[in-house]
Amino acid sequence: MKISIVGAGAMGSLFGGLLAESGNEVTLIDVNDAHIGAVRTQGLRLATDGGERQVTALKALRPEDAVGFPDLLLVFTKTLHTSAALSGVGHLIGPDVHVLSLQNGLGNVEKIAGFVPPERVLIGVTTWPADMVGPGHVQSHGKGVVRLMAADGIERPFVSQVAEVLTKAGLDCTSDRTVWAAIWEKVAFNAALNSICAVSGCTVDELGKVPDGSRLANDVVTEVLSVAMRMGIDVDPAKCWGNVANAIARHRGHKPSMLQDVLAGRRTEVESINGAVVALAGPLNIKLPVTETLLSLVRLAETRANA
Ligand code: NAD
């Protein structure tokens, strides 16, 4: 399959590297010149449980240098950059191109639907982890899965074909019509751990050192999933509280991306996580006092970091 990946940071490069290794025609597209330049000259240095190697059978380009229509355009920018990134690759979105988002948060379908008709938007969620080690160098340890579906819920051959291609690349993908529950459960998990760590400066395990950390996290999960349930999505709060407790018990020293962004003076994905849930709750008359307070505090932390 001809696959272009816009936003080729940690996740985009991991997926791109594995998809190239399994025989797809992959182009990484990014505005990070140091990273793109390193991949172009030396290949992508990819470290996974399968070992560390240089993947050279892929292209790495700035958006304006990319040409030709891919079959699949995979969006892996942070959510705050989705619209700008899709504008930058508008010339690659031909009449048959499908666009897939496996980004975190809510609102991804709506943003992509500004660029392609809804029947060509695929949405999903992934539990694969990845980190940028440096320009041209990405690592991912452990295992994950991908679940995806057509955003309009209609089963089409292309969706299964994408799932097969990802699975063949080792990414363990299923085409799954209940993906919205998984997306919301991940939003609840991230709204809890990311925003509390971002405003407190705590690592995930440090939230377990006083009862307040776990209590706040569970309150956020309860609030976020109350919105999902009101919208008719079949989420599982007990599973989500369990995942949060497990992360607090096991993720020693882990700084979630929202904390990393605040510390680095970058804007975070809070608007598509806590912000998107608060926006949906308003018209439903659901109050989310903890989630909304954390949203305000992350916004203040972003402002402080940028100053
Ligand atoms: P990242 O910051 O490593 O990569 C994002 C890339 O997008 C960067 O390389 C950046 O230069 C690029 N970019 C920004 N603006 C662009 C533009 N206009 N055009 C082209 N490229 C542009 O982020 P990441 O960790 O790979 O995360 C990507 C998404 O996946 C996020 O929504 C994140 O929440 C989600 N996610 C991350 C992980 C993880 O473990 N890293 C796991 C699951 C989901």
Side-chain angles (χ1 to χ4, degrees):
M1 188 176 282
K2 193 169 173 190
I3 302 170
S4 294
I5 301 178
V6 62
M11 293 297 284
S13 293
L14 169 68
F15 275 58
L18 295 174
L19 286 162
E21 283 184 323
S22 61
N24 297 285
E25 195 183 322
V26 173
T27 305
L28 302 182
I29 301 171
D30 206 290
V31 291
N32 179 339
D33 289 324
H35 180 56
I36 286 299
V39 176
R40 201 178 307 138
T41 52
Q42 299 147 32
L44 174 70
R45 189 169 160 199
L46 180 61
T48 65
D49 289 354
E52 184 159 326
R53 65 277 192 193
Q54 298 291 133
V55 184
T56 52
L58 41 63
K59 288 186 193 150
L61 296 167
R62 283 192 57 88
E64 60 273 22
D65 297 329
V67 291
F69 299 149
D71 303 309
L72 179 69
L73 181 65
L74 180 48
V75 187
F76 253 139
T77 60
K78 292 280 175 68
T79 50
L80 60 155
H81 298 130
T82 303
S83 299
L86 286 173
S87 294
V89 294
H91 59 291
L92 305 183
I93 304 178
D96 299 318
V97 175
H98 288 72
V99 182
L100 164 65
S101 167
L102 299 174
Q103 298 156 291
N104 282 329
L106 299 171
N108 298 316
V109 171
E110 292 77 358
K111 284 180 200 152
I112 295 170
F115 296 85
V116 284
E119 64 272 17
R120 287 199 272 128
V121 182
L122 277 61
I123 186 72
V125 63
T126 180
T127 57
W128 283 96
D131 292 302
M132 283 287 285
V133 183
H137 187 183
V138 167
Q139 67 177 8
S140 173
H141 293 293
K143 285 219 162 294
V145 295
V146 180
R147 294 165 67 180
L148 54 76
M149 63 182 275
D152 62 7
I154 297 171
E155 281 179 32
R156 295 191 185 83
F158 187 76
V159 180
S160 314
Q161 214 180 316
V162 171
E164 271 170 39
V165 163
L166 291 173
T167 295
K168 196 172 156 224
L171 288 158
D172 195 359
C173 180
T174 43
S175 162
D176 177 353
R177 294 190 64 193
T178 64
V179 84
W180 281 109
I183 289 173
W184 271 89
E185 285 166 6
K186 196 163 186 212
V187 165
F189 179 94
N190 284 329
L193 297 183
N194 269 273
S195 63
I196 297 169
C197 290
V199 299
S200 66
C202 287
T203 56
V204 171
D205 58 312
E206 285 171 341
L207 299 185
K209 291 195 170 163
V210 287
D212 308 67
S214 298
R215 180 180 50 75
L216 277 173
N218 285 343
D219 287 350
V220 174
V221 168
T222 306
E223 289 183 1
V224 170
L225 295 187
S226 72
V227 180
M229 288 188 279
R230 183 76 75 82
M231 292 173 67
I233 296 165
D234 190 18
V235 288
D236 182 346
K239 183 173 91 188
C240 209
W241 292 318
N243 289 342
V244 165
N246 192 37
I248 291 174
R250 287 169 182 238
H251 291 186
R252 287 190 61 193
H254 176 60
K255 289 181 184 156
S257 60
M258 215 179 270
L259 172 57
Q260 290 180 35
D261 287 338
V262 166
L263 291 174
R266 295 187 293 257
R267 283 181 60 210
T268 73
E269 293 189 297
V270 75
E271 298 300 339
S272 54
I273 301 177
N274 301 49
V277 179
V278 167
L280 287 167
L284 297 171
N285 272 324
I286 303 176
K287 299 274 177 257
L288 308 179
V290 184
T291 309
E292 190 161 6
T293 301
L294 285 163
L295 170 63
S296 303
L297 289 170
V298 174
R299 284 176 178 159
L300 286 167
E302 284 179 337
T303 306
R304 175 90 184 94
N306 286 327

